[in-house]
Amino acid sequence: MSINRRGCNPKAYPEGIKQKLFEILGENLKTGELLASHTTFRIGGPADFFYQTSTPEELIKGINTAKEFNLPYFVLGGGSNLLVSDSGFRGLVIKNLCRKVLIQENKVSAQSGTLLSELVDLSEELGLSGLEFAAGIYGTLGGAVYGNAGAFGKAICEVLEEGIILTPKGKLEIVNRDYFEFDYRHSKLKSSKDILLSTTLTLQKEDRERIRKKIEENLKVRKSRLPEEEGSAGSFFKNIKSSKNCLSGVSAGYLLEQVGAKEMRIGDAKVFPKHANIIINSGKATSRDVKTLARILKEKVKEKFNIELEEEVIYLGK
Ligand SMILES: Cc1cc2nc3c(=O)[nH]c(=O)nc-3n(C[C@H](O)[C@H](O)[C@H](O)COP(=O)(O)OP(=O)(O)OC[C@H]3O[C@@H](n4cnc5c(N)ncnc54)[C@H](O)[C@@H]3O)c2cc1C
């Protein structure tokens, strides 16, 4: 069995599959694409197959093709909440670049590959309030809905009105906010395995200047706390959920600080000195380095507080 590019192994697949995949998916299909270049951690080995999609039709074609050939598949947004294994992903990674946006008065309908930053800019321009909290959050709308992304006590669930999903059985459905069962860093997409194709957000008309000021304020706070140059995936662990409020909880960063996390590193994987709940890649960190550091951090918190931290970051690959 031949292994190339740090573990990529197209020969592990039945004879002729590569050619058939190229016939169906065309020139947007690649083999051995390094996933490090598609994640904000800048970590991750090759995907055996990698397919870039710019329309929902292509996205659906990618998923259907993976199913037809029994290939594991993974829908990738901005890669900003992911830790990809050093050996990469055995299967088809489908990168979502579907970014069409339609505006009707205060309703913004956007395809799920639209960058959150683009929607924040657009809503500011149009004097539509509701997304100021999202200024500075990386990634796509799809990734944001998947993990109910939020900051400053607000989250995407508050503005989402409805969405179009593709179910694992291949059906297209229009669903409303209730379907998503939003909770702190959680949506039903995590268990249903439905893929979000687009959503409609309901925003409120507001003075542009006020929106701009709020965005600036939020960005200033983020700049003082979050890494800008180093690779990371933002907060590594979830805060401990408060029973009263589904959008926030006891800070995992506080618990980590109490166990001396800020002094800790494994190889080039380090705890960010300004925020104990962020692991950064300060150079050539491997996924193994990050996982080892995360395991030690969890053990220390468990030992001191008897609290089991849960990863917010999603692990991909073995
Ligand atoms: C410096 C930094 C700061 C951050 N700050 C915050 C913050 O303040 N608040 C916060 O909540 N997060 C924060 N994050 C984490 C991250 O930006 C968010 O979780 C973001 O919403 C992830 O979106 P993505 O497109 O990058 O998702 P990805 O990382 O690409 O994917 C995450 C998961 O979503 C799934 N997914 C993606 N698209 C779809 C889709 N269309 N349908 C179904 N599933 C899908 C993927 O399969 C994967 O399981 C930060 C990250 C960084 C690097």
Side-chain angles (χ1 to χ4, degrees):
M1 203 177 270
S2 83
I3 307 275
N4 58 28
R5 290 198 86 172
R6 285 202 274 145
C8 174
N9 184 16
K11 285 200 178 164
Y13 298 96
E15 198 59 23
I17 188 172
K18 189 171 154 186
Q19 195 190 334
K20 282 189 190 138
L21 288 176
F22 274 104
E23 275 166 24
I24 298 169
L25 300 178
E27 59 185 15
N28 289 335
L29 182 73
K30 294 180 188 172
T31 55
E33 176 80 356
L34 276 185
L35 295 174
S37 5
H38 298 275
T39 67
T40 51
F41 240 136
R42 296 178 214 136
I43 292 175
D48 284 348
F49 299 101
F50 184 89
Y51 178 50
Q52 305 222 93
T53 62
S54 352
T55 64
E57 291 73 24
E58 284 175 355
L59 185 61
I60 295 169
K61 186 154 84 166
I63 292 171
N64 287 343
T65 307
K67 283 184 185 162
E68 186 186 336
F69 291 94
N70 233 348
L71 275 179
Y73 65 89
F74 181 83
V75 174
L76 175 70
S80 63
N81 205 25
L82 285 184
L83 179 64
V84 181
S85 150
D86 302 315
S87 58
F89 182 70
R90 305 289 71 82
L92 175 69
V93 169
I94 302 168
K95 171 119 174 164
N96 182 1
L97 297 173
C98 308
R99 294 185 173 163
K100 208 177 241 177
V101 181
L102 277 175
I103 319 262
Q104 274 188 315
E105 297 182 1
N106 65 332
K107 306 232 182 265
V108 177
S109 301
Q111 290 177 349
S112 56
T114 308
L115 293 174
L116 218 47
S117 59
E118 207 178 308
L119 291 175
V120 172
D121 290 350
L122 197 65
S123 56
E124 184 203 328
E125 235 170 74
L126 297 169
L128 293 173
S129 170
L131 282 176
E132 296 87 329
F133 77 89
I137 301 184
Y138 292 81
T140 61
L141 185 57
V145 174
Y146 181 89
N148 193 17
F152 305 108
K154 302 216 170 289
I156 198 76
C157 63
E158 292 170 89
V159 291
L160 186 144
E161 187 176 300
E162 64 176 29
I164 301 179
I165 55 164
L166 176 74
T167 70
K169 290 198 167 151
K171 262 180 70 186
L172 289 175
E173 285 179 14
I174 299 176
V175 291
N176 65 18
R177 185 187 308 168
D178 290 344
Y179 150 86
F180 290 93
E181 296 173 3
F182 285 118
D183 203 340
Y184 168 66
R185 297 296 172 269
H186 178 83
S187 80
K188 191 180 168 183
L189 296 176
K190 289 192 175 182
S191 54
S192 67
K193 307 290 174 208
D194 296 325
I195 297 300
L196 184 71
L197 298 179
S198 66
T199 60
T200 298
L201 309 177
T202 303
L203 304 175
Q204 304 303 325
K205 269 273 170 214
E206 172 66 278
D207 175 50
R208 267 186 73 183
E209 193 51 25
R210 278 168 82 162
I211 298 175
R212 194 186 60 76
K213 276 205 178 123
K214 189 74 209 157
I215 289 176
E216 261 176 23
E217 248 172 65
N218 290 349
L219 287 174
K220 202 168 158 195
V221 174
R222 294 180 72 86
K223 204 175 157 81
S224 66
R225 288 191 202 151
L226 298 172
E228 290 188 293
E229 303 296 320
E230 305 87 344
S232 87
S235 294
F236 203 90
F237 298 104
K238 291 180 185 172
N239 290 329
I240 315 303
K241 206 169 103 184
S242 134
S243 51
K244 289 192 205 114
N245 177 357
C246 75
L247 300 179
S248 63
V250 178
S251 150
Y254 169 79
L255 301 176
L256 288 160
E257 195 150 354
Q258 301 311 303
V259 300
K262 284 182 175 173
E263 316 300 319
M264 292 174 60
R265 69 181 292 164
I266 300 285
D268 275 349
K270 280 197 213 166
V271 175
F272 187 51
K274 291 186 197 166
H275 193 322
N277 192 19
I278 294 182
I279 296 179
I280 53 169
N281 172 7
S282 65
K284 292 190 172 152
T286 62
S287 174
R288 182 192 285 247
D289 293 335
V290 176
K291 279 189 181 162
T292 307
L293 181 54
R295 179 176 49 75
I296 295 170
L297 292 170
K298 279 174 91 165
E299 282 168 5
K300 288 199 175 279
V301 169
K302 173 80 180 161
E303 202 177 288
K304 184 157 176 144
F305 298 104
N306 197 25
I307 288 176
E308 198 85 51
L309 287 180
E310 194 190 324
E311 281 83 350
E312 182 174 323
V313 167
I314 293 153
Y315 293 148
L316 178 65
K318 288 192 181 137

